[in-house]
Amino acid sequence: EREARAAAAANAAAEREARSERQQSARAAETERRRAARQALVDEMEAQARREEEARREEEKARAAALWAAPPEQSDARLALEREIAQARSEVEAARRCEEAARAEAEAARAREVAARAEAEEAAVREETLLRRLADLEPRPGPPSAAKGGAGGGQHTGVADVAGRSATLPQKIARIRTHFGITPGCSLPAAVAAANAMAGLATEGGLLQQADRLLSLLEAGGKGA
């Protein structure tokens, strides 16, 4: 039965790893698509800027030619106005460049956030898989003999009786989460640490020992009630 559980856990881990690889491939494709879109946008903006610069130069040439034919007083006023217009146009172009840079940075930050979230999910999956393997490696004492049960008056003889000797580590921690109201989203070590803090217990021993100690405390509290 243990070999079957181990094989099932290995198959589940392999499936999760394959799913993680597919997710990474999808994320890489999406990142490449966004990069190509951003590059296309930058190329289009540069081309547009070049066209606008050429149009501006042509316009300035035309205005300069007109100034030569205008009276002196009109030429001075027109020249001052043209300088103000050129300054305003330069400020508008600088503001547009700053806006595009800020937009590109925001997209890069969102991509980093998505990648970090994916890495955290993958790490959580690996952690759960390793903890299950660790639970399978933990020694499990055999069930108490009938003579011991009779001598103790039907009482439980140890921590393993509280959680059930065949219960896995995730099953034990699921009971602990339910009792202490701990959110299912946190990892197994985080759930045990939170339960230890609520129960006033020290964080000593392995994760399985801590879980058994907490379940023993819960069982003792249930008998007292």
Side-chain angles (χ1 to χ4, degrees), residues 51-63:
R51 290 193 295 269
E52 291 178 357
E53 181 65 19
E54 292 175 359
R56 184 180 64 81
R57 290 177 180 176
E58 293 295 331
E59 185 179 356
E60 288 178 353
K61 289 180 181 179
R63 283 197 297 268

Side-chain angles (χ1 to χ4, degrees), residues 1-2 5-6 9 128 131-136 138 140 163-176 188 207-208 211-212 215:
E1 181 182 355
R2 177 172 295 179
R5 286 200 302 269
E128 185 176 356
L131 287 173
R132 288 179 178 174
R133 292 178 180 175
L134 177 62
D136 290 337
E138 289 285 351
R140 299 179 182 276
R165 297 179 184 275
S166 61
T168 63
L169 180 60
Q171 291 172 344
K172 294 179 180 181
I173 295 180
R175 291 185 56 191
I176 294 171
L188 301 183
L207 198 62
L208 182 60
D212 288 341
L215 290 172

Side-chain angles (χ1 to χ4, degrees), residues 49 52-53 56 86-99:
E52 291 178 357
E53 181 65 19
R56 184 180 64 81
Q87 179 66 26
R89 185 176 291 117
S90 298
E91 292 176 356
V92 169
E93 291 177 356
R96 287 178 179 173
R97 286 193 295 269
C98 291
E99 180 183 1

Side-chain angles (χ1 to χ4, degrees), residues 4-182:
R5 286 200 302 269
N11 292 335
E15 182 180 355
R16 284 191 293 270
E17 290 177 0
R19 184 167 58 252
S20 176
E21 291 178 357
R22 290 194 297 270
Q23 291 175 352
Q24 289 180 352
S25 299
R27 287 194 297 270
E30 179 65 16
T31 301
E32 179 62 22
R33 185 189 66 78
R34 292 183 179 178
R35 188 198 64 77
R38 285 197 299 270
Q39 186 61 38
L41 179 61
V42 170
D43 293 342
E44 177 63 24
M45 289 174 58
E46 291 178 353
Q48 181 66 22
R50 286 194 296 269
R51 290 193 295 269
E52 291 178 357
E53 181 65 19
E54 292 175 359
R56 184 180 64 81
R57 290 177 180 176
E58 293 295 331
E59 185 179 356
E60 288 178 353
K61 289 180 181 179
R63 283 197 297 268
L67 287 174
W68 284 103
E73 61 276 5
Q74 293 183 1
S75 298
D76 293 339
R78 186 184 296 272
L79 184 59
L81 183 60
E82 291 295 336
R83 283 197 296 266
E84 292 180 0
I85 292 174
Q87 179 66 26
R89 185 176 291 117
S90 298
E91 292 176 356
V92 169
E93 291 177 356
R96 287 178 179 173
R97 286 193 295 269
C98 291
E99 180 183 1
E100 292 300 330
R103 184 180 297 113
E105 177 129 3
E107 291 180 357
R110 284 195 296 271
R112 288 194 298 268
E113 180 184 359
V114 170
R117 186 181 301 113
E119 289 179 1
E121 292 176 355
E122 183 179 356
V125 170
R126 285 200 307 269
E127 178 190 23
E128 185 176 356
T129 301
L130 293 174
L131 287 173
R132 288 179 178 174
R133 292 178 180 175
L134 177 62
D136 290 337
L137 294 176
E138 289 285 351
R140 299 179 182 276
S145 63
K148 289 185 179 180
Q155 296 179 352
H156 292 279
T157 60
V159 174
D161 295 331
V162 177
R165 297 179 184 275
S166 61
T168 63
L169 180 60
Q171 291 172 344
K172 294 179 180 181
I173 295 180
R175 291 185 56 191
I176 294 171
R177 280 174 171 163
T178 302
H179 179 82
F180 288 99
I182 300 172

